[in-house]
Amino acid sequence: MYRTNTCGELRIDHVGHTVTLAGWVQRIRKMGGMTFIDLRDRYGITQLVIDGTSAKEINDTVASLGREYVIQAEGKVEERQSKNNKIPTGEIEIKLTKINILNKAQTPPFTIEDESDGGEELRAKYRYLDLRRNPLKKALMLRHKMAHETRVYLDSQNFMEIETPYLIKSTPEGARDFVVPSRMNPGEFYALPQSPQQYKQLLMVAGFDRYFQIVRCFRDEDLRADRQPEFTQIDCEMSFVERDDVLRTFEGLAKHLFKSVLGKDFKEPFLRMPYSEAMGSYGSDKPDIRFGMKINELTNDVKGHNFSVFDDAQYVGGIVVEGISAYTRKQIDELTEWVKRSQVGAKGLIYIRVNEDGLKSSIDKFFTQDDLKKIVGKVGAKSGDIIFIMSGVKSKTQVALGTLRIEMGNRLGLRDPKVFAPLWVCDFPLLEWDDETNRFYAMHHPFTAPKPENLDKFYSNKKEDLELVSANAYDFVLNGTEVGGGSIRIHDAAVQKRMFEVLGMTDEEAQYKFGFLMQAFKFGAPPHGGLAFGFDRFCALFGGQDTIRDYIAFPKNNTGRDMMADAPSKIDDIQMKELYLKSTAPEE
Ligand code: ASP
């Protein structure tokens, strides 16, 4: 037997027991005639000790140990002279009676401590060593718990976990597909699923009325910050449901996870906010409602002062930032520069500073104190606040104000990662027009149902009508991040056909890509709907972190590379030939 106990297990009650532990040497310290070894495994750290009374061969073996050696240690549990209350095993130590080196280790390229001295790239290359560190170990333990509790809850609600294929038909709509050449079908390719969307809908046609899967998905997108080409979803679908049934069920899942993983109780139903309100009040379809600072529309309050920036604007809006009236001119100039330079994409920033002794603004030339007072009254600003105002095209200006709002929330420490503010955003538009390609795209995906009350507009051929069609779609938003999204689906072959038509697909194209789904809809498809949660992101938020990378055992870097295995890589000519492939990549 390699071990009787783990390194996280022994307490004062075990004093006197003879035990055997196995693990990695974290640290060796010599003090006077004593040597202390911190022995680490997945469960914790236990201190081993030898002194002048220990046998010579034990002393010799200990003298030869290095960091990260794997050892087996037998000894007696003793009470420590000086206790360490920072670790659960801190009251005891093991007086060594036997030690056995199970494997040597090279000196690790960085320190395996909570705060490592290794840079990100180095740690990525030796990911298996990085994973020995506490922060990453804890992240993966949290992920395991989240997955386990997800299964516990969904099983209790009669959901069945069913696997769907990874080698599927390429039907890109949204992101680019990763494709896999088929050796047995020359010149043909599978795609890796961007999500199991069509399969889960087919499972509904098959009668499995409650499906879920914790499933890997693949999207070949340019990797913006903190995206991974492969990521995990909690993917779910239900039959014979309306929107509110879906929301209630998955609100239940979120609450179960909050309770079982974080010990947090959410008694009240989550807020449900229409998309139009999210955009109007927060300038975002994923509002962070941990703090106020809502956007106030001022379009009709500021016109007629010979100030063309307002007079010519489609929309004017402002946010009140509380308690920052001491911001210097320099700080405001710096913020204005940030607004112009960053992705906010605004042309400028107007301010009104509200102080005991009056109002000071960057529009004093056009607005009297009384005029300014009206604005202050409208937005409800108090002494000590600054109002920031932007103007321009409505949708863009709202988003710009929303981005500024988040920035100010960050600067003022209003976005505490330990505070959780979940909500549903509902009533998204069904379609999004793209000027560049001159066509509509599905805002969620092409299987999302239009709201029944908008069906007449859905069948209209006018762009203005189609733009107004609402979808039976919803997002689950947590702390300013979209963690989940889904919809009630189209289950009628004719409506689905119309949807493909609206998206500019010819009949043949729709048939080629989605024929099997439309065919299935002709054989008794039940009304159905569902959603998927981004599991990596959900875990990161629960862990209070911004980055999902720590919650994935072996992630890719931001150019999509596995730094440890050095993938992707070339394949040899024989493999290329078998797959009927020729590379046109430029020679290096
Ligand atoms: N398949 C969708 C997605 O990946 C989620 C859903 O509609 O259920 O975003």
Side-chain angles (χ1 to χ4, degrees):
M1 187 162 61
Y2 272 111
R3 56 181 175 183
T4 57
N5 297 85
T6 70
C7 295
E9 200 179 343
L10 299 169
R11 302 285 185 275
I12 197 83
D13 297 346
H14 293 93
V15 167
H17 291 206
T18 297
V19 296
T20 308
L21 303 182
W24 287 262
V25 173
Q26 166 104 5
R27 201 180 299 147
I28 307 168
R29 277 164 293 141
K30 285 196 170 38
M31 283 166 76
M34 321 258 277
T35 304
F36 299 99
I37 302 168
D38 283 346
L39 189 68
R40 180 191 69 235
D41 67 8
R42 181 186 136 191
Y43 305 90
I45 286 179
T46 298
Q47 177 165 294
L48 314 177
V49 61
I50 57 167
D51 60 19
T53 66
S54 306
K56 181 171 180 311
E57 58 280 12
I58 294 191
N59 269 289
D60 290 348
T61 309
V62 168
S64 74
L65 292 179
R67 269 161 55 203
E68 301 305 315
Y69 271 44
V70 187
I71 62 169
Q72 186 184 33
E74 185 195 279
K76 212 168 188 184
V77 183
E78 295 187 342
E79 183 170 356
R80 275 206 215 181
Q81 297 287 321
S82 56
K83 305 209 164 46
N84 175 358
N85 59 16
K86 289 203 193 93
I87 56 172
T89 62
E91 287 192 301
I92 56 99
E93 61 193 6
I94 312 294
K95 178 79 184 292
L96 274 188
T97 51
K98 224 195 242 168
I99 177 165
N100 183 11
I101 297 180
L102 299 175
N103 212 341
K104 293 182 182 175
Q106 281 184 24
T107 308
F110 48 85
T111 53
I112 303 192
E113 307 272 349
D114 288 6
E115 295 289 333
S116 174
D117 61 358
E120 205 166 305
E121 224 170 278
L122 191 64
R123 285 187 289 117
K125 186 161 174 209
Y126 297 93
R127 182 71 173 177
Y128 45 88
L129 294 181
D130 208 15
L131 288 172
R132 287 185 192 165
R133 296 193 310 117
N134 259 326
L136 290 195
K137 190 169 72 190
K138 277 196 189 143
L140 290 190
M141 280 161 65
L142 179 114
R143 184 183 175 109
H144 164 73
K145 177 99 175 140
M146 296 277 283
H148 173 70
E149 292 297 343
T150 297
R151 291 192 165 100
V152 167
Y153 173 82
L154 290 175
D155 179 67
S156 79
Q157 301 296 310
N158 264 336
F159 281 80
M160 278 170 69
E161 186 163 14
I162 304 176
E163 286 161 283
T164 50
Y166 278 160
L167 296 176
I168 68 167
K169 188 180 176 81
S170 179
T171 55
E173 178 66 25
R176 232 175 258 120
D177 280 339
F178 277 104
V179 294
V180 179
S182 165
R183 181 182 55 81
M184 288 190 288
N185 301 276
E188 295 187 322
F189 296 81
Y190 302 101
L192 301 178
Q194 296 189 26
S195 85
Q197 184 61 37
Q198 293 166 62
Y199 284 96
K200 67 174 170 177
Q201 292 192 241
L202 293 169
L203 286 171
M204 295 304 112
V205 180
F208 295 99
D209 65 341
R210 290 181 165 215
Y211 142 95
F212 86 102
Q213 186 180 190
I214 298 183
V215 62
R216 197 69 53 79
C217 302
F218 306 84
R219 293 182 193 174
D220 186 8
E221 291 174 301
D222 292 333
L223 300 176
R224 277 186 272 131
D226 212 31
R227 287 261 185 101
Q228 289 282 319
E230 50 178 308
F231 59 97
T232 302
Q233 287 187 339
I234 308 173
D235 189 46
C236 313
E237 197 75 6
M238 306 169 82
S239 290
F240 307 115
V241 285
E242 291 176 335
R243 182 194 79 177
D244 285 0
D245 302 307
V246 178
L247 299 194
R248 211 175 315 112
T249 305
F250 292 101
E251 192 161 317
L253 171 62
K255 284 181 178 176
H256 175 81
L257 292 174
F258 276 122
K259 180 75 184 149
S260 58
V261 179
L262 297 179
K264 282 189 191 291
D265 261 320
F266 281 89
K267 296 242 157 35
E268 302 298 318
F270 296 167
L271 187 67
R272 292 180 190 175
M273 188 184 289
Y275 169 83
S276 55
E277 183 185 336
M279 296 310 295
S281 297
Y282 297 91
S284 167
D285 59 1
K286 37 183 189 296
D288 185 346
I289 56 167
R290 280 173 297 183
F291 64 106
M293 212 190 281
K294 286 192 203 172
I295 299 171
N296 298 274
E297 174 158 14
L298 295 167
T299 317
N300 296 324
D301 304 274
V302 294
K303 300 232 183 219
H305 292 266
N306 282 330
F307 183 47
S308 62
V309 173
F310 287 167
D311 289 348
D312 301 345
Q314 183 193 21
Y315 172 94
V316 183
I319 57 172
V320 180
V321 187
E322 287 178 17
I324 62 155
S325 69
Y327 253 43
T328 59
R329 193 52 217 265
K330 194 163 159 238
Q331 277 173 301
I332 295 181
D333 286 348
E334 178 259 325
L335 198 62
T336 310
E337 272 312 302
W338 177 82
V339 159
K340 287 196 218 160
R341 262 185 296 111
S342 64
Q343 313 104 314
V344 179
K347 287 209 201 72
L349 188 62
I350 284 154
Y351 73 89
I352 304 174
R353 191 200 301 272
V354 189
N355 270 333
E356 292 293 346
D357 50 356
L359 306 170
K360 177 88 197 82
S361 80
S362 47
I363 44 173
D364 284 352
K365 260 197 267 167
F366 306 95
F367 287 75
T368 65
Q369 285 280 309
D370 274 349
D371 296 332
L372 292 176
K373 265 190 203 143
K374 277 192 202 133
I375 300 176
V376 170
K378 164 98 191 210
V379 300
K382 322 175 290 316
S383 176
D385 300 346
I386 292 186
I387 308 167
F388 289 121
I389 301 175
M390 290 183 186
S391 61
V393 175
K394 182 171 177 179
S395 56
K396 284 202 177 122
T397 308
Q398 284 177 335
V399 171
L401 280 164
T403 312
L404 176 65
R405 174 182 174 272
I406 292 292
E407 172 69 12
M408 294 315 295
N410 283 335
R411 290 190 188 196
L412 298 176
L414 302 174
R415 307 186 69 211
D416 181 351
K418 295 214 166 64
V419 173
F420 292 94
L423 76 150
W424 295 103
V425 176
C426 306
D427 305 339
F428 282 83
L430 183 72
L431 301 161
E432 226 176 357
W433 181 260
D434 180 56
D435 278 331
E436 228 166 85
T437 46
N438 204 33
R439 57 161 274 205
F440 277 114
Y441 284 84
M443 188 133 172
H444 186 52
H445 54 53
F447 315 106
T448 295
K451 288 219 159 168
E453 58 269 30
N454 292 155
L455 271 181
D456 50 341
K457 288 203 179 70
F458 181 62
Y459 280 93
S460 155
N461 284 327
K462 290 201 196 114
K463 185 175 157 216
E464 312 80 76
D465 284 339
L466 287 164
E467 266 170 342
L468 290 177
V469 179
S470 270
N472 223 334
Y474 32 79
D475 277 354
F476 177 70
V477 174
L478 183 58
N479 294 1
T481 301
E482 178 205 322
V483 181
S487 57
I488 296 298
R489 324 298 185 188
I490 298 168
H491 66 280
D492 180 291
V495 179
Q496 188 64 67
K497 188 163 174 266
R498 167 66 185 161
M499 184 68 180
F500 291 136
E501 183 182 280
V502 170
L503 297 177
M505 254 180 245
T506 60
D507 262 358
E508 297 75 57
E509 214 180 328
Q511 202 54 42
Y512 177 73
K513 284 184 173 172
F514 302 107
F516 62 105
L517 186 73
M518 290 200 287
Q519 178 74 0
F521 281 178
K522 293 179 187 153
F523 288 96
H528 61 286
L531 86 182
F533 292 95
F535 184 59
D536 313 288
R537 176 84 46 208
F538 215 170
C539 292
L541 281 167
F542 265 53
Q545 301 293 322
D546 293 332
T547 152
I548 61 172
R549 218 172 278 176
D550 288 357
Y551 292 82
I552 299 172
F554 297 103
K556 309 276 188 286
N557 76 0
N558 50 15
T559 57
R561 294 200 74 82
D562 177 337
M563 298 291 283
M564 186 184 63
D566 195 24
S569 60
K570 296 215 165 63
I571 55 174
D572 65 36
D573 290 344
I574 300 174
Q575 279 175 298
M576 291 286 276
K577 225 171 165 182
E578 278 172 352
L579 296 168
Y580 305 90
L581 294 180
K582 261 200 192 111
S583 174
T584 59
E587 295 288 330
E588 272 154 32

